Amino acid sequence: IRAGKENTWNYIDGCMIKALIELYEITGEQRYLTFADDYIDFFVQDDGTIKHYNPQEYNLDNVNAGKTLYKLYDLVGKPKYRAAMDTIYRQLETQPRTKEGVFWHKAVYPNQIWLDGMYMAQPFYMAYEAKFDGMAHVADITRQFQNVRKYLYNPEKGLNYHAYDEARVQFWADKETGCSKNFWLRSTGWYLMALVDCIALCSEQLYEHYRALVDIFRESMRGVLAYRAEDGLFYQVIDYPEAEGNYTETSGSAMIAYSLLKGVRIGVLDAEKYLPIALDVFEKLAANKLRAEEDGVVRLTDICWVAGLGPDKNPQRDGSVAYYLSEPKKSDDSKGVGPFIMAYSEYLRAKQA
């Protein structure tokens, strides 16, 4: 419950609950699992329907919290969690797609691919395929990542644009390429986490698909690491360090730390080369962004509150450098705290290895 209102099923809390489950797995502290189970149990009904979740909205953000169901089902065994996975999977079965077959980010964002949406949906999709569907649709998942690589990747910069409009009609989209204007850090972080989480769920025996995802992940990671800032982190607008008001942003930096650490752990990034970088990114994140604020409480700072593109009713969200830097910074926002905890869990795994 927040501010006297009933909470909703949403991607932000889903990120936090997933982080708590991962923290439980590495620490064994029951309170983390209990909280996660209590939270998800509140939303999931006995027939597998979910409070405040309407699959017909076709919003990929609403898939994200569903990732928690897999681990919770394994750990606590509630049948309704298994049924809820089917409920969410049915959304993906009929989710609108671009002509190339990539999920629209939302029904209200027609013909659009956002990097954010790759994280929201693809690891859930891959987990379902691995557990219940015999990897029957793994080629679909691989193809969606390959199309993001095809349409959103800038090889000269080594970075992926935030979003792509296949119809090339959105005011923020380039009329020739369909891409948005800039490289927003958190969207890149979402994308890297999507890749590494899908790779971890994909069997190496599916060599063609596994290899394709690994290649895209390595390329994307090399690209973003080239822009690492002096403080060891990454800028809100990745490739404009000199822009007035640009800053090293916490949520995206945490996502990169997580992706590096997990990539090393699952063997797709060379440990000798990347583990020192991964540990250093997380340690710099903790050193620079955990700060005592005016009231003396230590908080996780410099988290971009929100950023997006359009729609037309919100024309200031135009994807410009100035726009991304105009969005407010928050402390202890879940979109930063969740990835920070996930990165911390991976950091603990690395230290215990």
Side-chain angles (χ1 to χ4, degrees), residues 45-65:
Q45 307 302 289
D46 287 342
D47 62 356
T49 58
I50 300 168
K51 287 182 183 178
H52 310 299
Y53 166 63
N54 177 9
Q56 299 305 310
E57 289 181 2
Y58 291 116
N59 181 346
L60 293 185
D61 286 348
N62 293 337
V63 174
N64 186 55

Side-chain angles (χ1 to χ4, degrees), residues 81-115:
Y81 289 166
R82 173 67 185 89
M85 293 180 226
D86 289 338
T87 298
I88 297 172
Y89 187 77
R90 284 193 290 270
Q91 174 187 327
L92 296 184
E93 287 184 305
T94 53
Q95 182 80 14
R97 296 172 180 247
T98 66
K99 292 174 184 175
E100 296 276 6
V102 184
F103 295 142
W104 290 6
H105 185 50
K106 302 179 184 180
V108 295
Y109 292 164
N111 308 300
Q112 295 171 42
I113 305 168
W114 290 31
L115 294 182

Side-chain angles (χ1 to χ4, degrees), residues 36-42 44-46 48 68-74 76-86:
D37 181 34
D38 287 349
Y39 184 91
I40 297 299
D41 181 88
F42 169 79
V44 177
Q45 307 302 289
D46 287 342
T68 64
L69 295 164
Y70 295 96
K71 285 289 177 67
L72 287 174
Y73 181 63
D74 288 345
V76 301
K78 294 178 180 176
K80 67 179 184 176
Y81 289 166
R82 173 67 185 89
M85 293 180 226
D86 289 338

Side-chain angles (χ1 to χ4, degrees), residues 45-338:
Q45 307 302 289
D46 287 342
D47 62 356
T49 58
I50 300 168
K51 287 182 183 178
H52 310 299
Y53 166 63
N54 177 9
Q56 299 305 310
E57 289 181 2
Y58 291 116
N59 181 346
L60 293 185
D61 286 348
N62 293 337
V63 174
N64 186 55
K67 298 172 191 175
T68 64
L69 295 164
Y70 295 96
K71 285 289 177 67
L72 287 174
Y73 181 63
D74 288 345
L75 291 166
V76 301
K78 294 178 180 176
K80 67 179 184 176
Y81 289 166
R82 173 67 185 89
M85 293 180 226
D86 289 338
T87 298
I88 297 172
Y89 187 77
R90 284 193 290 270
Q91 174 187 327
L92 296 184
E93 287 184 305
T94 53
Q95 182 80 14
R97 296 172 180 247
T98 66
K99 292 174 184 175
E100 296 276 6
V102 184
F103 295 142
W104 290 6
H105 185 50
K106 302 179 184 180
V108 295
Y109 292 164
N111 308 300
Q112 295 171 42
I113 305 168
W114 290 31
L115 294 182
D116 320 37
M118 298 300 287
Y119 178 74
M120 302 302 158
Q122 299 299 334
F124 175 92
Y125 191 4
M126 184 72 87
Y128 194 95
E129 291 302 308
K131 280 186 172 286
F132 307 123
D133 205 28
M135 286 296 197
H137 297 94
V138 67
D140 182 30
I141 298 169
T142 305
R143 189 164 51 247
Q144 293 198 49
F145 279 108
Q146 288 172 325
N147 276 309
V148 170
R149 167 63 177 80
K150 180 178 180 180
Y151 291 108
L152 282 79
Y153 182 70
N154 181 321
E156 293 179 4
K157 293 281 191 176
L159 298 169
N160 293 277
Y161 291 103
H162 185 178
Y164 165 77
D165 171 28
E166 181 183 57
R168 293 163 173 74
V169 298
Q170 298 300 319
F171 69 93
W172 49 259
D174 184 279
K175 298 307 178 189
E176 292 187 14
T177 68
C179 290
S180 57
K181 298 182 180 74
N182 285 292
F183 309 103
W184 178 42
L185 182 65
R186 187 153 72 222
S187 69
T188 292
W190 289 130
Y191 184 56
L192 289 169
M193 293 203 302
L195 282 161
V196 78
D197 285 357
C198 281
I199 292 165
L201 293 161
C202 183
S203 169
E204 291 184 54
Q205 294 177 324
L206 296 166
Y207 183 79
E208 177 186 347
H209 303 291
Y210 184 85
R211 187 84 246 160
L213 295 175
V214 169
D215 287 348
I216 295 171
F217 175 65
R218 288 174 175 167
E219 178 184 65
S220 298
M221 185 60 79
R222 285 194 302 269
V224 76
L225 285 177
Y227 296 91
R228 198 174 175 204
E230 289 184 7
D231 68 356
L233 305 177
F234 301 87
Y235 281 97
Q236 162 79 339
V237 182
I238 300 171
D239 60 330
Y240 278 91
E242 74 287 350
E244 184 177 356
N246 208 355
Y247 62 100
T248 52
E249 195 275 330
T250 296
S251 67
S253 296
M255 292 171 183
I256 292 168
Y258 167 86
S259 301
L260 281 165
L261 288 161
K262 187 168 183 176
V264 170
R265 176 168 65 81
I266 67 174
V268 296
L269 293 177
D270 178 69
E272 185 176 355
K273 178 179 180 180
Y274 286 101
L275 184 57
I277 299 171
L279 295 171
D280 191 56
V281 172
F282 182 79
E283 287 165 1
K284 293 286 174 48
L285 187 65
N288 292 325
K289 301 302 184 181
L290 284 171
R291 302 189 196 124
E293 295 196 335
E294 291 179 5
D295 57 4
V297 176
V298 175
R299 292 188 170 89
L300 189 64
T301 61
D302 291 342
I303 302 166
C304 173
W305 189 28
V306 68
L309 295 160
D312 289 339
K313 65 183 179 182
N314 199 351
Q316 71 267 28
R317 299 193 347 159
D318 63 356
S320 65
V321 173
Y323 160 67
Y324 286 115
L325 298 182
S326 74
E327 289 287 10
K329 290 183 282 186
K330 299 286 184 179
S331 295
D332 286 352
D333 184 90
S334 297
K335 294 182 289 295
V337 175

